[in-house]
Amino acid sequence: MKQFIKKWLGPLLIIVTLAIVIIVGMVNGTLPEAVKAVAHANPLFMILCVACYLAYLLCNAAGVKSFLKREGFDLKWKDSFLASLTGIYYSNITPGATGGQPMQIYKLTRFGIPTGIATSAVASCFIAWHLMRVVLVTALGIPYWGFITYNMGSYWPFLLLGYTYNVLLVALWLVFSFSKKPVEWIARFLSWLARKLPFIKNTEKTQEGIARTADKFHTSMQHLRYHKGEIFRQLVLGGLYMMMLVSILYFAYRGVGLSGTTYGQIT
């Protein structure tokens, strides 16, 4: 019974959430309008939207696969794509995209990747994406500052808040990735929590697993420090990842017949 639940719970959750989105979209009229807009859109721009989405997914999968290969795990492209799709899907249905990375890590462990190393792979990609987001916003924020402030009006402090959040997020992830003490603190907290939770029967085994995962995570992230080529590759893929995501919006904008805003302004 447990095996049956583990096998079908994920697909069932996806079907249920998609059904909810479709029902809500039909009730409020959003979905029929969206379908109508796509049906009358410029086919070339719609093809470019699909191409950018596939490239966006490819960058995600390639980043994880590249990191794992350096750690000695030759993950199949198919499995890397499935893990990336899982992460993207759960990012889209959970508040603040909090479920994406944990579910992507879980999917990687199903393909035989140790939890600590899977966490390192996803963390390295996560850092690269957010770091390149900060770089892109900084690079484009200066020439387009007038455009930004004009369109945001008195709400521009919220943009500054988001920018600060991303900078702090990158800094925090770097500290956790390359400093052992924060990782040990989290491992100790999780071990303490394991002793308190009544449904965890074998607390010693759980604590050993937590310590082993934390050690593998820290070790693999330490390896990254001495592989400059891998760092450069992750940053390039992170930049492409962000640009492909924005390009989908731009081509959709052009596809439905809108114009007057440049690619740089939308980015």
Side-chain angles (χ1 to χ4, degrees):
M1 186 63 181
K2 284 184 178 179
Q3 286 297 110
F4 178 83
I5 292 172
K6 285 176 72 176
K7 182 178 180 181
W8 292 104
L9 184 60
L12 182 63
L13 179 61
I14 290 172
I15 291 168
V16 170
T17 51
L18 283 175
I20 292 170
V21 170
I22 291 169
I23 291 168
V24 171
M26 292 298 292
V27 169
N28 64 20
T30 304
L31 190 60
E33 286 297 319
V35 171
K36 184 179 176 182
V38 171
H40 290 86
N42 185 308
L44 175 61
F45 284 116
M46 291 300 100
I47 291 170
L48 288 172
C49 283
V50 173
C52 287
Y53 184 80
L54 292 174
Y56 157 75
L57 181 59
L58 176 64
C59 290
N60 189 309
V64 172
K65 181 175 170 60
S66 176
F67 185 97
L68 291 175
K69 189 171 184 179
R70 186 185 53 77
E71 289 293 310
F73 295 91
D74 195 8
L75 188 67
K76 294 178 182 176
W77 274 108
K78 173 179 68 70
D79 294 340
S80 188
F81 270 106
L82 283 173
S84 297
L85 272 173
T86 300
I88 290 168
Y89 179 78
Y90 283 96
S91 286
N92 286 329
I93 66 167
T94 52
T98 50
Q101 280 73 43
M103 289 305 296
Q104 188 173 4
I105 292 166
Y106 171 72
K107 193 70 174 178
L108 288 170
T109 61
R110 297 291 299 273
F111 297 137
I113 309 299
T115 305
I117 293 175
T119 304
S120 300
V122 173
S124 68
C125 294
F126 183 85
I127 293 167
W129 302 334
H130 281 270
L131 181 57
M132 293 311 294
R133 177 183 291 175
V134 169
V135 169
L136 287 169
V137 169
T138 304
L140 291 170
I142 296 170
Y144 289 113
W145 183 246
F147 173 81
I148 293 166
T149 52
Y150 174 78
N151 282 278
M152 296 200 72
S154 60
Y155 294 100
W156 70 265
F158 288 102
L159 177 66
L160 184 61
L161 182 65
Y163 179 80
T164 305
Y165 164 77
N166 276 279
V167 171
L168 291 175
L169 196 62
V170 170
L172 189 63
W173 268 103
L174 287 171
V175 169
F176 275 94
S177 298
F178 299 118
S179 178
K180 196 168 186 179
K181 279 191 177 181
V183 177
E184 289 175 343
W185 293 338
I186 293 175
R188 282 199 293 268
F189 170 74
L190 292 175
S191 296
W192 171 83
L193 195 63
R195 292 196 300 270
K196 301 296 181 182
L197 295 174
F199 56 84
I200 295 180
K201 305 300 180 185
N202 193 337
T203 54
E204 286 188 10
K205 185 178 179 181
T206 302
Q207 287 173 329
E208 287 175 6
I210 291 169
R212 189 165 54 250
T213 297
D215 186 59
K216 284 184 177 179
F217 169 78
H218 179 71
T219 302
S220 63
M221 291 306 291
Q222 285 293 307
H223 290 167
L224 187 62
R225 293 174 62 181
Y226 305 106
H227 291 81
K228 301 296 189 292
E230 183 61 30
I231 294 173
F232 177 74
R233 188 155 46 245
Q234 290 294 338
L235 290 175
V236 169
L237 288 169
L240 290 172
Y241 175 89
M242 296 306 307
M243 293 306 295
M244 290 301 103
L245 186 60
V246 174
S247 297
I248 296 168
L249 177 61
Y250 175 74
F251 289 128
Y253 167 80
R254 292 297 309 276
V256 295
L258 299 174
S259 61
T261 305
T262 66
Y263 181 81
Q265 288 171 329
I266 287 182
T267 303

